Amino acid sequence: MLTETELNEFQNKLLDRRVQIEKNLRGTSLELEGMRELELNDEGDFAAASAEAVIDSAILVQQRKELNEIELALDKIKGGVFGICEMCEEPIGRKRLEVKNFARFCITCREITEKETK
């Protein structure tokens, strides 16, 4: 089980990451809006702008997904179940949580869920 100090550390990391993602989302959304207003002179400009918009859109999707995971982890901290695997209900290793603060599964269960989704 995680100590109160460890929980506070993870909560602070999650909150910091949430702020960063929200900033990124605002910036990327503004960039996409700016691209829509560009006057593109030729097919090359259009192709370059389109490719960049696709990449930015993919980044937005990924960042929103991570933001949802962070919100879930923050809720788990409040509910006293942070760091507990959603599948086997065993504690998730501290090292795993340090790498992925919003991990929902222990290593063993993560491997099982990845195999099921393929």
Side-chain angles (χ1 to χ4, degrees), residues 32-98:
L32 285 171
E33 284 179 28
M35 281 184 179
R36 288 187 197 107
E37 296 169 8
L38 289 176
E39 290 186 32
L40 303 173
N41 298 322
D42 62 31
E43 290 179 25
D45 288 345
F46 181 77
S50 293
E52 194 169 328
V54 167
I55 291 168
D56 284 347
S57 292
I59 291 169
L60 280 173
V61 168
Q62 186 59 37
Q63 295 262 294
R64 284 189 186 116
K65 183 179 175 186
E66 185 176 345
L67 191 58
N68 289 337
E69 295 285 344
I70 288 169
E71 294 298 340
L72 181 63
L74 290 169
D75 286 344
K76 286 181 173 188
I77 289 173
K78 287 179 192 164
V81 293
F82 177 79
I84 305 297
C85 178
E86 291 181 8
M87 186 179 271
C88 70
E89 299 181 0
E90 292 293 320
I92 298 171
R94 180 172 168 75
K95 287 183 181 179
R96 172 151 170 71
L97 289 170
E98 288 197 15

